[in-house]
Amino acid sequence: MSLAKRIIPCLDVDNGRVVKGVQFVDIRDAGDPVEVARRYDKEGADEITFLDITASSDDRDTIVHVVEHVAEEVFIPLTVGGGIRKLEDVRTMLNAGADKVAINTAAVFNPDFVREVSDRIGSQCIVVAIDAKQVSAAGEPLRWELFTHGGRKPTGLDAVEWAQKMTDYGAGEILLTSMDRDGTKAGFDLTLTRAIADAVSIPVIASGGVGNLDHLAEGVLEGRADAVLAASIFHFGEYTVGQAKQRMAERGVEVRL
Amino acid sequence: MGNLRSVAKALEHVVEPGQQVLVTSKPADIAAASHVVFPGQGAARDCMRELDQHKLVEPVLAAARSKPFLGICMGLQVLMRHSEENAGVDCMNLYPGEVRALAPRLAAAGEMALKIPHMGWNNVMQSGSHPLWNGIAQNSRFYFVHSFFVDPEDPLLASGHSRYGIEFTSAIACANVFAVQFHPEKSADDGLRLLHNFVRWNGQYA
């Protein structure tokens, strides 16, 4: 009996609608974030993450309303990422009912932003998102670089060093996505996950590349992640969160059943 | 955490007809309430400073001495005499005891690989029966996020324990007061059940 490893379904939300098509037979509106969140909650999700991919900043208020509606019905921790740049943005999200915000690009341009949020509101509400890509050539010691803007822009920063720096600046958690694996269904980059998990004193969420339930267990067992995040394997109805937990339990991972 | 809106929304979900949920910082509202939930906010120093500035220390203590009272997270910690957080903060001193940092205790226990904060779903071992545990199975999991824990001098104050490298007090009960380190408002069905029990509680506990 001890702390459970968490399973976190992630929803991409564009203009208030869930994208990447959720296909649950018994859901009335698969694009409604409230319905999808409620469904994941019933299946036993430990947290839910919303990634706002709305392109236009004019439409950013939409995600606030989404969070408000979800928080009225779903009583597990909620994380929101995408477009959060100022202390005021963080407060708006928390007041809407989010428990944590994920920050990526804004932290790279202004690392003190992480420190400011940590000092003023508390480190427990800041998740620093790290999009990392392997840049070492074959035969060289492994090295991963930090990318921003959804993995499009290189920063020249070493991902492991960045994770340590963000920990020092007051991040409460790291959301680590392997750009090499994202969308491949080949499993997490376990070497990267382990390198970061071993380098920092705060929890690490593994993301990017999950194609089956064993990948989730491996993220914990071999990657040493504290939590695993996945989108498509849950959205497309391939697996339920409950099945994921069963498999992880069979593999010896402590989960909340 | 300490998100007031989340606590209010969860309470609204479980209250009885006729009960009303009010988020307030006014002493008169606290005095008039039948039940008081005290989530606390921020770090220990900020929380105590806010309570002082709004002249809430006495009203909150008065509620804790007289009516069903539920402390959550920081709202549990500041009921103790003193906290190690922020280089030492005097708290409300309702109960003798210290709020201690997890990190050095985990290190002393050889549990250096455990992450801080203690974040996620952990078991709560109920020390005995209590009206607020009604319908909640022994060792149920609740959502935690914290780096400090309470260490009350009176071991009989504990109503729940949890384990994270070390064993610590995760719930206390005394007369009309119940207070928890975890977040019932974020703990799905068992958390809602605890809040459901609280809003129906008359504050009696033998």
Side-chain angles (χ1 to χ4, degrees):
Chain A
M1 285 203 310
S2 65
L3 187 66
K5 301 296 179 181
R6 292 166 282 154
I7 297 190
I8 309 175
C10 176
L11 303 178
D12 284 356
V13 179
D14 187 4
N15 253 317
R17 301 283 295 169
V18 179
V19 294
K20 286 189 183 171
V22 180
Q23 298 172 343
F24 294 128
V25 286
D26 50 349
I27 257 186
R28 265 183 298 135
D29 178 359
D32 178 359
V34 180
E35 286 221 31
V36 178
R38 204 191 286 135
R39 167 64 182 250
Y40 285 146
D41 176 34
K42 282 211 173 66
E43 287 183 3
D46 295 312
E47 297 184 22
I48 297 175
T49 291
F50 295 92
L51 197 56
D52 183 23
I53 57 169
T54 307
S56 159
S57 54
D58 295 346
D59 297 325
R60 282 271 154 70
D61 284 351
T62 321
I63 189 72
V64 178
H65 299 307
V66 166
V67 173
E68 281 175 354
H69 290 306
V70 173
E72 279 168 17
E73 298 193 37
V74 173
F75 300 102
I76 58 175
L78 306 174
T79 301
V80 185
I84 288 158
R85 297 196 164 77
K86 307 185 297 286
L87 190 65
E88 189 193 328
D89 299 335
V90 177
R91 286 197 202 280
T92 301
M93 285 305 174
L94 298 183
N95 288 337
D99 300 288
K100 313 177 202 178
V101 294
I103 303 168
N104 176 352
T105 306
V108 177
F109 286 112
N110 179 17
D112 283 326
F113 178 48
V114 172
R115 187 170 271 161
E116 185 187 12
V117 177
S118 170
D119 286 348
R120 303 284 290 277
I121 309 182
S123 62
Q124 78 288 343
C125 72
I126 320 163
V127 182
V128 169
I130 294 181
D131 291 346
K133 196 181 278 187
Q134 190 179 324
V135 290
S136 47
E140 285 178 5
L142 286 172
R143 204 177 81 82
W144 298 269
E145 186 174 329
L146 174 73
F147 280 67
T148 61
H149 296 86
R152 293 193 303 276
K153 295 195 182 172
T155 63
L157 296 164
D158 179 85
V160 176
E161 286 170 15
W162 179 250
Q164 289 169 323
K165 179 171 174 175
M166 288 295 95
T167 304
D168 293 341
Y169 274 51
E173 206 169 15
I174 301 279
L175 168 55
L176 174 66
T177 303
S178 161
M179 304 314 297
D180 300 305
R181 295 300 178 90
D182 205 23
T184 65
K185 293 189 168 274
F188 296 120
D189 182 338
L190 296 171
T191 316
L192 165 68
T193 305
R194 188 164 181 160
I196 302 255
D198 285 350
V200 298
S201 58
I202 58 176
V204 172
I205 306 165
S207 158
V210 175
N212 63 48
L213 301 181
D214 285 306
H215 290 155
L216 295 173
E218 286 155 10
V220 171
L221 295 170
E222 293 172 44
R224 295 193 190 165
D226 301 281
V228 287
L229 179 139
S232 57
I233 63 159
F234 298 133
H235 293 340
F236 295 111
E238 291 169 56
Y239 303 103
T240 66
V241 175
Q243 288 170 329
K245 288 191 162 182
Q246 285 296 344
R247 178 64 58 82
M248 288 176 80
E250 285 161 18
R251 297 279 308 263
V253 177
E254 184 147 358
V255 290
R256 177 176 72 108
L257 290 170
Chain B
M1 210 106 88
N3 186 327
L4 291 173
R5 183 185 158 94
S6 296
V7 177
K9 288 293 162 196
L11 286 166
E12 281 168 13
H13 208 76
V14 300
V15 288
E16 292 191 287
Q19 286 185 318
Q20 191 197 345
V21 179
L22 180 67
V23 177
T24 185
S25 56
K26 294 196 186 85
D29 291 335
I30 298 169
S34 64
H35 294 67
V36 171
V37 179
F38 180 50
Q41 290 221 284
R45 170 163 298 154
D46 290 345
C47 183
M48 287 309 300
R49 189 193 292 134
E50 289 282 313
L51 288 167
D52 277 334
Q53 281 174 356
H54 288 91
K55 301 200 168 10
L56 285 173
V57 174
E58 279 312 314
V60 170
L61 281 172
R65 290 186 182 112
S66 63
K67 59 181 92 180
F69 184 98
L70 177 64
I72 298 174
C73 195
M74 186 52 65
L76 157 68
Q77 294 183 5
V78 295
L79 298 179
M80 297 293 132
R81 181 167 53 216
H82 185 265
S83 172
E84 290 179 357
E85 196 172 9
N86 308 122
V89 178
D90 286 329
C91 297
M92 297 174 77
N93 198 18
L94 185 63
Y95 304 114
E98 181 81 6
V99 182
R100 302 191 189 280
L102 265 173
R105 276 81 196 180
L106 294 187
E111 298 277 8
M112 270 82 79
L114 290 178
K115 301 303 180 80
I116 304 247
H118 171 223
M119 183 188 288
W121 299 78
N122 206 338
N123 307 96
V124 176
M125 299 163 260
Q126 300 163 20
S127 313
S129 67
H130 188 283
L132 266 65
W133 293 131
N134 275 349
I136 298 172
Q138 179 66 287
N139 299 326
S140 290
R141 288 186 187 273
F142 291 87
Y143 189 82
F144 288 81
V145 50
H146 64 118
S147 305
F148 292 79
F149 64 97
V150 296
D151 186 7
E153 280 176 18
D154 178 2
L156 295 178
L157 205 57
S159 186
H161 291 91
S162 298
R163 230 193 131 70
Y164 187 62
I166 57 166
E167 188 169 290
F168 65 94
T169 300
S170 52
I172 66 166
C174 181
N176 56 299
V177 172
F178 197 85
V180 294
Q181 182 58 63
F182 53 83
H183 288 271
E185 77 279 12
K186 287 290 164 184
S187 295
D189 291 346
D190 285 324
L192 291 175
R193 178 67 201 218
L194 191 142
L195 296 175
H196 168 106
N197 292 340
F198 174 71
V199 298
R200 286 159 182 79
W201 186 34
N202 62 7
Q204 301 289 311
Y205 167 50

